[in-house]
Amino acid sequence: MAPTKTPAVELDVQGRTVRVSSPDKVYFPARGLTKLDVVEYFLSVGDGILGALIDRPTTLERWPKGVFEGAKMATRADSTGDAFYQKRVPQGAPEYVETARIAFPSGRTADEVCPTELAVVAWAANLGTITFHPWPVSRADVEAPDQMRIDLDPQPGTDFTDAVRVAPVVREVLQEMGMEGWPKTSGGRGLHIFVPIEPQWTFTQARRATIALGREVERRLPEQVTMHWWKEERGRKIFIDYNQMARDRTIASAYSVRANPRATVSAPLRWDEVPDVHPDDFDVTTMPARFAEVGDLFAALSAVDGPAYSIRPLLDLADKDERDHGHQDLPYPPEYPKMPGEPKRVQPSKDRDRAH
């Protein structure tokens, strides 16, 4: 006899009815967390997750079978994975799920989910979405980034504590440029810093500004920071992943759940907290109480009257680096077409023309 299927649950989400099918399906076995637990988590941090996503084209990272041991993400080369990135709005989406059309580096376009209300988040979570990947643009102008996102990525031999040591120097450089950043845990080993910027720059310019920032941090912390794209050249350092500002590269939003056994979440931080926290401090079970206590620490990033900084000082720094140090552009990811001014995109150990 087949086991009895648990009836769907209907939730009232700000006046919308959102249906949660198989609510007791286990999504995080190590924590005993179900699909309904994940949906209810997102509702508990509703103002925060919606603030992070509202009016932004958003890729959905879907784990419809849950995050179990051995689960793998589908890739371009192997589409048989247990989880996948959904870049186009799923068929059969409710009428309240709005979209924004974006263009990929290839020139192809897609209509991505563009959350405008909390019910969209709950609906996506019912589809197995645990991590939301919003573009750094608003649908008002999908060609003009309004956030600069700095990804402090620990390389083998380093960890979150190493990223924490680098973060204050990133902030120092930003402040010298008349800017401020908002830090958050990645939910994994890294640290993210989001900077609201004026939406009048191209992706290419925003990426160039990020490179200039990273190079300045690398100059100040040469033993701790690297801007080398090729892994074989990075060493045991924190990589400032400048290509996260390239078109169609996104970072997990604040309050997103990450695909690990602990069900950690990407947690906004106050700067004075950065030295004392650990990513495991923030998960699906602990974040609701923290959110109730401190509110949305990223609220300024989504506020209509929030700050928006010019990246002109960083672009001027990039010009100076080119003029004084001969610094040129850095490689793009492999799936990108060859970009103007980009150096040869060849792994150094395989570059026959490279001086060794």
Side-chain angles (χ1 to χ4, degrees):
M1 182 175 178
T4 303
K5 187 175 182 180
T6 305
V9 172
E10 291 190 344
L11 301 177
D12 184 327
V13 183
Q14 297 178 342
R16 300 276 191 196
T17 299
V18 178
R19 184 174 182 271
V20 181
S21 60
S22 303
D24 61 350
K25 181 177 181 60
V26 177
Y27 265 24
F28 291 91
R31 304 300 303 277
L33 296 171
T34 65
K35 179 198 281 193
L36 183 59
D37 290 330
V38 173
V39 175
E40 290 181 334
Y41 157 74
F42 282 122
L43 297 181
S44 75
V45 295
D47 289 345
I49 186 66
L50 184 59
L53 305 178
I54 193 163
D55 288 332
R56 297 187 182 279
T58 300
T59 298
L60 310 179
E61 183 181 328
R62 294 176 58 184
W63 292 78
K65 300 177 184 178
V67 182
F68 56 90
E69 186 175 356
K72 64 177 184 177
M73 176 68 68
T75 64
R76 288 184 177 84
D78 180 5
S79 62
T80 62
D82 305 288
F84 56 95
Y85 292 103
Q86 178 113 37
K87 294 194 173 186
R88 290 174 169 80
V89 63
Q91 290 186 343
E95 49 82 22
Y96 59 80
V97 177
E98 299 187 28
T99 62
R101 178 158 295 181
I102 47 86
F104 300 122
S106 64
R108 294 181 298 110
T109 61
D111 294 323
E112 286 208 339
V113 172
C114 186
T116 56
E117 56 182 287
L118 188 55
V120 177
V121 176
W123 161 81
N126 177 60
L127 296 180
T129 303
I130 63 171
T131 310
F132 294 85
H133 297 266
W135 281 50
V137 300
S138 166
R139 66 172 173 176
D141 187 348
V142 296
E143 296 300 321
D146 62 2
Q147 287 179 350
M148 192 168 75
R149 298 169 174 180
I150 302 157
D151 181 9
L152 304 183
D153 184 10
Q155 299 305 290
T158 65
D159 57 20
F160 181 77
T161 58
D162 296 289
V164 163
R165 294 188 189 102
V166 171
V169 179
V170 175
R171 189 187 191 196
E172 176 182 88
V173 175
L174 285 171
Q175 291 179 331
E176 289 173 10
M177 300 290 157
M179 310 169 82
E180 182 58 273
W182 276 254
K184 70 180 181 72
T185 66
S186 68
R189 298 169 62 245
L191 191 70
H192 299 154
I193 300 170
F194 280 24
V195 182
I197 62 174
E198 297 169 346
Q200 61 179 25
W201 316 94
T202 65
F203 278 99
T204 301
Q205 289 172 313
R207 177 180 174 276
R208 187 167 184 253
T210 306
I211 290 173
L213 173 80
R215 281 173 165 158
E216 181 59 27
V217 175
E218 184 182 34
R219 278 191 286 269
R220 299 184 188 192
L221 298 174
E223 301 303 316
Q224 299 177 55
V225 171
T226 179
M227 289 292 288
H228 285 294
W229 174 248
W230 301 105
K231 292 182 180 180
E232 64 188 41
E233 294 187 309
R234 292 178 189 169
R236 297 176 58 172
K237 298 181 180 181
I238 297 299
F239 172 51
I240 298 181
D241 190 354
Y242 60 88
N243 269 331
Q244 293 292 11
M245 280 310 302
R247 177 187 294 275
D248 192 33
R249 294 289 282 238
T250 55
I251 287 179
S253 77
Y255 307 102
S256 277
V257 186
R258 305 316 304 268
N260 59 51
R262 283 193 56 84
T264 58
V265 305
S266 181
L269 304 171
R270 294 185 293 263
W271 274 108
D272 61 4
E273 294 180 294
V274 171
D276 302 318
V277 300
H278 187 275
D280 286 352
D281 295 339
F282 312 103
D283 62 34
V284 167
T285 67
T286 62
M287 194 65 185
R290 173 178 167 83
F291 189 82
E293 177 185 354
V294 305
D296 180 17
L297 297 180
F298 266 32
L301 298 179
S302 57
V304 174
D305 58 351
Y309 303 111
S310 172
I311 63 171
R312 173 50 58 194
L314 285 171
L315 294 176
D316 290 343
L317 179 60
D319 290 340
K320 186 175 186 297
D321 280 346
E322 183 174 340
R323 183 176 63 250
D324 296 350
H325 303 290
H327 287 325
Q328 303 296 319
D329 199 359
L330 293 172
Y332 276 77
E335 69 271 20
Y336 281 64
K338 183 69 174 177
M339 302 296 286
E342 181 188 3
K344 187 194 297 189
R345 199 185 299 172
V346 179
Q347 189 173 331
S349 60
K350 297 180 179 179
D351 186 359
R352 296 178 180 178
D353 299 328
R354 185 184 177 95
H356 295 285

